[in-house]
Amino acid sequence: MTHSALSKKSLFAAGPAAGTGFTVADYLLTRLKQLNVTDVFQIPGDYVKHFTQALEHFDGINTIGAINELDAAYAADAYARTRGLAAVSLQFGVSTYSALNAIAGAWVERSPIVVISATPGADMRDITDMYDVLFHHSTGDLDADRKVYENVTVRAITLSTNVGAAEQIDELLIDAITQKRPVYIACYKEVWGQPCSRPPKTALKPRVTHSPELALRNAVDQAWTQITQAKQPLIFAGVEILRFGLSELLQQIIDASGFLYTTTSLGKTVLDEKGDKFIGTYSDAASIESVREVVQASDCVLTLGTILTDDYLVFIESKYADMVLADTAGIRAGYFKYGDVTMQDFMQALLAKFKASDAYPIKAKAPPQPKYPQPWAGNSDPAYDAKSQVITYNRFFEHTMKFLQDHKLLKDIVMTYGVSSAMYVATNCYGLSQGSFIASAAWQCIGFETGAAAGAQLGSGKRAWTVAGDGGFMMVCQSLSTLARNRLNAVIFVMSNQVYAIEQVYVDMAAFRPGPKHRFDAFDILPGWDYLALAKAFGAEGIRVETVDALKAELPRIAAIKDKPVLVEVVIPQKDLPGQMYRLGSE
């Protein structure tokens, strides 16, 4: 082999050019479009160039160029939650590793993302074998990306040839839409540009698994025994109901049983939050009092599609034996487990039981939903009771929610949250539409909300209404540029207190006490930023509010902005401790 054959330029020119006929990249893009993926988030790179070039010229799918990998992957996660499937294209090594945190969150929270990449090609691998060359972005193991992603995907594959590529892509996508979790696909860099047959015109469908008849009967009979003996039954619904398209079935069960229902924080808005059966979202000690009382009094909790995190340890410890649980891992009724019974089969069988019984539906009514200014007035930090113009976490929600309700805007927004004090306060909201609350409530990722805003808005067609802590916003502030670049009018409210408040709650809540002797730990102190200057630099509208009246005055202007993002710095006291967080931190 000559020295010229080893040149970097010749290596990257090798392989068929994208756009020459129908390619492997075109096949994947066509399949994605059939599954209603009309936007692909992207970080470019030389190895993956054949895919990115095909994407740029592919009719019907928009390229959403992101600023960094977390920006792209958080956006893809939110897009998948609102659209049902998402895709993100990343460079080998340096990009895939940077995006790993976001994809892990999607794995935990059941969000199906297709992670697309490319590796050094066949020629490069030969050179590595002969000359021990370490190619850029590589650890030395050219399969390391796939091995890493095997831990946070339902399938991870690398295609070394176009032979059989169509069949492997189909299987991969079916895995994603069946299990509602991420998948990973890379090709040798030349393979994305190689010829491929066109797919059928019918979209791929999820696999359907049915339960063994006897196992299903046993599970339902055991559950029915517990349900019919209950005096105060309750339905506890989670995010898997939404992910797997079972919301209508859940509503039918509520109607047929007459049971009241609540949701997890992650599962908030599995249904429209209307009617007299919804008691409010249950977020353990962060819940409002009436919700906690109903949950504590329940003697049979029909727990459907929930991901039970350590936010619910008190609930699990007190209600384990009283639970009838159905999720993607199987069914549990009390202490009896049925791992091969599917959640959908179980729910359909229970529905038939309720419909056939003269004892149902029961007559139960949820406590009246709190009217403005509750529940936030009752949870606001009492240290500021005499200072009515000071914005606290709860006063912020009190006034923004009133504005959204009064102007009938709740149906037009999708809320996005990372883990923060604001997220727990927001779980007290009522009146939201189905699928309009997105939160990193299980993976609990600080910063998720700002990156997620673009995907939430593009996926849902609704305006992203985002509340971030300043620490979370600082982690992914470049996402504001992605919003501006795509002329998305998402609103990012930054709760500006210059500390990691949620972190300090769990480290030492005494820091929130008044007086200079009670200090935040040094690692929880943040730098001061000029948010207005940052908004201008990124092409967003910048607003700063320091009083309740200023917030109320700016909300109509925020609502009227149509073609660019809005960054709102909401100045709050460093030591504001909302009641929701005080109760959580005191457990």
Side-chain angles (χ1 to χ4, degrees):
M1 186 174 288
T2 65
H3 289 295
S4 61
L6 287 174
S7 73
K8 198 170 186 179
K9 181 177 180 182
S10 66
L11 284 170
F12 288 119
T20 55
F22 196 84
T23 65
V24 174
D26 293 321
Y27 186 95
L28 174 57
L29 289 166
T30 302
R31 281 308 208 187
L32 289 171
K33 183 181 175 183
Q34 289 173 343
L35 292 168
N36 201 28
V37 176
T38 56
D39 306 274
V40 172
F41 301 90
Q42 175 192 273
I43 297 293
D46 47 20
Y47 293 123
V48 76
K49 70 174 185 178
H50 290 319
F51 182 82
T52 57
Q53 288 172 341
L55 172 61
E56 184 173 346
H57 300 288
F58 190 85
D59 185 34
I61 295 183
N62 302 311
T63 303
I64 308 298
I67 298 301
N68 61 41
E69 288 81 6
L70 280 180
D71 176 29
Y74 286 151
D77 184 347
Y79 189 97
R81 297 182 195 214
T82 54
R83 189 66 71 93
L85 184 67
V88 59
S89 172
L90 302 168
Q91 171 69 329
F92 172 70
V94 290
S95 277
T96 51
Y97 288 177
S98 292
L100 188 62
N101 169 51
I103 304 304
W107 162 265
V108 168
E109 298 184 350
R110 316 295 195 263
S111 184
I113 303 171
V114 183
V115 180
I116 302 162
S117 190
T119 76
D123 49 357
M124 295 176 172
R125 290 166 186 261
D126 286 343
I127 291 166
T128 296
D129 291 342
M130 288 188 289
Y131 298 106
D132 200 23
V133 172
L134 179 68
F135 279 96
H136 65 287
H137 304 335
S138 171
T139 64
D141 180 352
L142 298 183
D143 294 318
D145 287 32
R146 176 183 54 77
K147 293 173 183 176
V148 168
Y149 271 81
E150 283 175 349
N151 296 283
V152 292
T153 59
V154 291
R155 182 180 292 204
I157 61 174
T158 300
L159 302 181
S160 61
T161 174
N162 59 343
V163 177
E167 293 79 8
Q168 291 197 63
I169 288 171
D170 282 359
E171 286 299 305
L172 185 87
L173 293 177
I174 291 171
D175 282 341
I177 60 178
T178 299
Q179 299 195 41
K180 305 300 182 185
R181 277 179 155 166
V183 294
Y184 168 91
I185 178 171
C187 290
Y188 286 15
K189 74 175 184 65
E190 65 273 10
V191 171
W192 282 125
Q194 288 178 347
C196 188
S197 60
R198 294 178 183 271
K201 292 185 177 180
T202 54
L204 296 168
K205 296 185 183 300
R207 299 185 189 93
V208 178
T209 302
H210 289 296
S211 312
E213 184 177 344
L214 286 177
L216 175 60
R217 186 185 305 168
N218 290 341
V220 172
D221 287 347
Q222 181 62 38
W224 193 247
T225 298
Q226 289 188 229
I227 290 168
T228 53
Q229 291 176 352
K231 303 299 183 185
Q232 292 181 281
L234 178 70
I235 292 173
F236 190 17
V239 74
E240 289 183 344
I241 296 292
L242 195 58
R243 297 286 191 270
F244 288 89
L246 301 177
S247 293
E248 183 178 343
L249 180 55
L250 172 63
Q251 185 64 63
Q252 291 175 357
I253 289 173
I254 292 169
D255 293 342
S257 68
F259 291 1
L260 304 181
Y261 82 97
T262 184
T263 71
T264 59
S265 304
L266 181 62
K268 187 171 175 62
T269 69
V270 296
L271 296 171
D272 286 348
E273 296 182 341
K274 298 173 183 175
D276 60 4
K277 296 297 183 180
F278 179 57
I279 68 169
T281 297
Y282 179 62
S283 47
D284 200 71
S287 315
I288 62 175
E289 185 176 5
S290 62
V291 175
R292 298 197 305 272
E293 288 175 349
V294 173
V295 171
Q296 289 164 5
S298 62
D299 55 356
C300 178
V301 186
L302 182 52
T303 307
L304 303 173
T306 60
I307 299 172
L308 291 171
T309 70
D310 54 358
D311 269 353
Y312 297 100
L313 287 179
V314 172
F315 169 82
I316 295 166
E317 290 169 356
S318 63
K319 299 296 180 184
Y320 188 91
D322 295 329
M323 289 171 64
V324 172
L325 184 147
D327 60 21
T328 51
I331 309 302
R332 177 173 67 79
Y335 294 99
F336 297 92
K337 296 181 179 180
Y338 309 88
D340 50 358
V341 176
T342 71
M343 178 168 59
Q344 182 167 348
D345 285 349
F346 180 77
M347 290 175 65
Q348 288 173 335
L350 273 189
L351 175 62
K353 284 273 196 183
F354 282 123
K355 286 184 172 181
S357 172
D358 293 335
Y360 299 99
I362 64 172
K363 294 180 179 179
K365 270 192 172 184
Q369 295 184 0
K371 301 297 184 185
Y372 171 84
Q374 291 293 356
W376 301 285
N379 277 290
S380 202
D381 192 334
Y384 303 99
D385 283 352
K387 301 175 182 178
S388 62
Q389 283 300 305
V390 171
I391 305 175
T392 65
Y393 281 105
N394 275 284
R395 284 178 183 166
F396 168 80
F397 279 95
E398 176 184 329
H399 294 289
T400 55
M401 284 299 296
K402 176 172 170 46
F403 176 82
L404 291 169
Q405 290 168 345
D406 288 350
H407 292 82
K408 296 181 171 52
L409 294 175
L410 285 176
K411 67 183 186 306
D412 301 320
I413 65 167
V414 55
M415 293 184 170
T416 65
Y417 294 92
V419 67
S420 64
S421 298
M423 184 200 80
Y424 285 103
V425 177
T427 61
N428 295 169
C429 293
Y430 284 84
L432 304 184
S433 300
Q434 182 179 315
S436 66
F437 187 93
I438 294 173
S440 181
W443 183 238
Q444 297 215 339
C445 187
I446 294 175
F448 169 82
E449 64 285 312
T450 306
Q457 186 152 338
L458 288 166
S460 69
K462 298 181 177 183
R463 190 179 194 181
W465 191 270
T466 302
V467 186
D470 42 7
F473 177 76
M474 288 177 180
M475 288 185 176
V476 288
C477 64
Q478 302 98 320
S479 297
L480 194 62
S481 179
T482 300
L483 293 166
R485 180 183 188 180
N486 291 280
R487 301 175 68 85
L488 298 173
N489 66 337
V491 188
I492 313 293
F493 294 98
V494 178
M495 307 303 288
S496 180
N497 55 6
Q498 297 186 23
V499 292
Y500 281 124
I502 190 171
E503 170 74 10
Q504 189 64 52
V505 166
Y506 294 117
V507 171
D508 180 10
M509 203 158 55
F512 289 92
R513 293 175 185 167
K517 70 175 184 178
H518 300 293
R519 298 179 180 177
F520 281 70
D521 290 278
F523 50 76
D524 281 335
I525 303 295
L526 297 169
W529 278 18
D530 186 340
Y531 289 100
L532 296 182
L534 186 145
K536 183 177 181 181
F538 285 154
E541 184 77 15
I543 297 171
R544 175 183 169 94
V545 294
E546 299 184 63
T547 66
V548 167
D549 283 347
L551 173 64
K552 292 164 67 176
E554 292 290 355
L555 286 170
R557 181 160 79 94
I558 293 167
I561 293 172
K562 303 296 183 188
D563 61 351
K564 59 181 174 180
V566 188
L567 179 65
V568 186
E569 181 186 8
V570 182
V571 180
I572 62 174
Q574 187 181 72
K575 292 195 172 187
D576 174 34
L577 182 60
Q580 297 90 340
M581 295 308 300
Y582 177 79
R583 294 192 297 273
L584 282 172
S586 299
E587 284 192 332

